[in-house]
Amino acid sequence: MYEKETEQLQKMIDESRKIVFFGGAGVSTESNIPDFRSADGIYHQSYKYSPEQVVSHSFFMGHTDAFYEFYKEKMMILDAKPNAAHLKLAELEQAGKLSAVVTQNIDGLHQAAGSKTVYELHGSIMRNYCMDCHAFYDAPYVKYAKGSPRCEKCGGLVKPDVVLYEEGLDSDVIQGAIRAITNADMLIIGGTSLVVYPAAGFIDYFQGKYLVVINKSETGRAVRADLTISAPIGQIMSRIHVNK
């Protein structure tokens, strides 16, 4: 299956020198990290509070212990390993073919696979800071803290460096991502429904030659893709040969 589409994708990649990958939750589901919007995703499970409510800034401030109970269990999968898609993208970057990864994911798997230029639109579970003295804490410190994590230096509340609902995206990350997409000659969109804004609007900056969508389900936005492959992204990317 997908032989013809994979051949087309290979040809496009071979012809491109400034590829940008724009990815979402579907990139990490093959690493056993649950997504939010699929039929068995987090948004379709039953909790006392809705996931949208829990991962909001106001809920974090007003119900911190309940936030961390959900966040640690459902959003901090620390034993996850990079899959074929993460590894292939890192290989493409190392070969000088891929200029950046723009991701909506917060799991740090692109960096774990070896990618260097990664714009994390929604932050990362790997970075956590005291809200008072700004001391840094890693993911295991937060994951295994009893209740809400507190700063060892000043006792302040430690907050994940992730963008919650009601919070704005980091302006430096936005500018870097837009610059990379604007300068790209090929944009591969993978594992995202393109329904989360403002992130989904970033693809409008693409002016290059090839636009490819690889996603198991239809994307929420109608994009004029030169190639659409309805398949798991790791399965497709594992077939790509990196030619320098």
Side-chain angles (χ1 to χ4, degrees):
M1 286 179 72
Y2 308 113
E3 284 83 3
K4 183 183 174 187
E5 292 91 337
T6 305
E7 280 180 28
Q8 277 184 273
L9 178 62
Q10 181 74 61
K11 183 174 180 291
M12 290 173 175
I13 288 174
D14 288 345
E15 292 177 9
S16 303
R17 300 301 304 174
K18 287 186 178 179
I19 303 168
V20 168
F21 178 79
F22 184 97
V27 179
S28 294
T29 52
E30 290 171 78
S31 295
N32 297 316
I33 292 180
D35 72 350
F36 273 64
R37 297 174 193 282
S38 67
D40 55 353
I42 288 173
Y43 279 174
H44 292 273
Q45 298 176 26
S46 298
Y47 295 100
K48 183 179 176 183
Y49 304 98
S50 72
E52 291 102 328
Q53 192 179 357
V54 175
V55 293
S56 67
H57 178 82
S58 53
F59 191 90
F60 172 79
M61 298 304 295
H63 306 274
T64 308
D65 289 346
F67 168 88
Y68 268 115
E69 187 179 346
F70 176 90
Y71 178 77
K72 290 180 191 181
E73 181 188 349
K74 296 295 179 183
M75 300 179 75
M76 299 192 80
I77 318 294
L78 300 190
D79 57 353
K81 298 287 188 287
N83 61 51
H86 297 108
L87 295 169
K88 189 62 66 174
L89 291 167
E91 190 182 346
L92 283 165
E93 183 186 43
Q94 198 170 17
K97 303 276 293 175
L98 183 136
S99 54
V101 168
V102 180
T103 181
Q104 299 173 83
N105 297 337
I106 60 173
D107 49 48
L109 290 180
H110 285 293
Q111 289 92 332
S115 289
K116 304 298 183 192
T117 304
V118 182
Y119 295 104
E120 297 172 306
L121 298 178
H122 298 149
S124 173
I125 63 169
M126 299 300 169
R127 301 185 299 270
N128 306 272
Y129 297 96
C130 172
M131 295 181 73
D132 293 337
C133 75
H134 310 295
F136 170 85
Y137 291 94
D138 62 14
Y141 182 87
V142 171
K143 175 84 171 178
Y144 303 115
K146 289 185 178 179
S148 300
R150 291 279 171 179
C151 179
E152 291 179 340
K153 297 176 181 176
C154 75
L157 178 64
V158 174
K159 182 182 183 296
D161 188 18
V162 299
V163 180
L164 304 176
Y165 286 113
E166 305 163 355
E167 295 179 345
L169 305 188
D170 182 278
S171 59
D172 290 340
V173 174
I174 290 173
Q175 288 170 15
I178 289 173
R179 188 165 54 246
I181 291 169
T182 302
N183 294 329
D185 56 8
M186 179 176 185
L187 179 63
I188 303 174
I189 300 170
T192 175
S193 57
L194 291 178
V195 297
V196 177
Y197 279 82
F202 282 40
I203 64 169
D204 294 334
Y205 290 93
F206 178 65
Q207 303 160 13
K209 188 174 182 182
Y210 295 127
L211 176 57
V212 177
V213 175
I214 308 170
N215 196 45
K216 282 204 297 187
S217 58
E218 282 188 32
T219 57
R221 281 185 45 142
V223 294
R224 295 177 183 174
D226 298 292
L227 174 64
T228 301
I229 307 176
S230 299
I233 186 160
Q235 182 183 326
I236 299 300
M237 294 301 290
S238 65
R239 303 178 184 182
I240 295 300
H241 300 288
V242 179
N243 305 310
K244 293 184 181 181

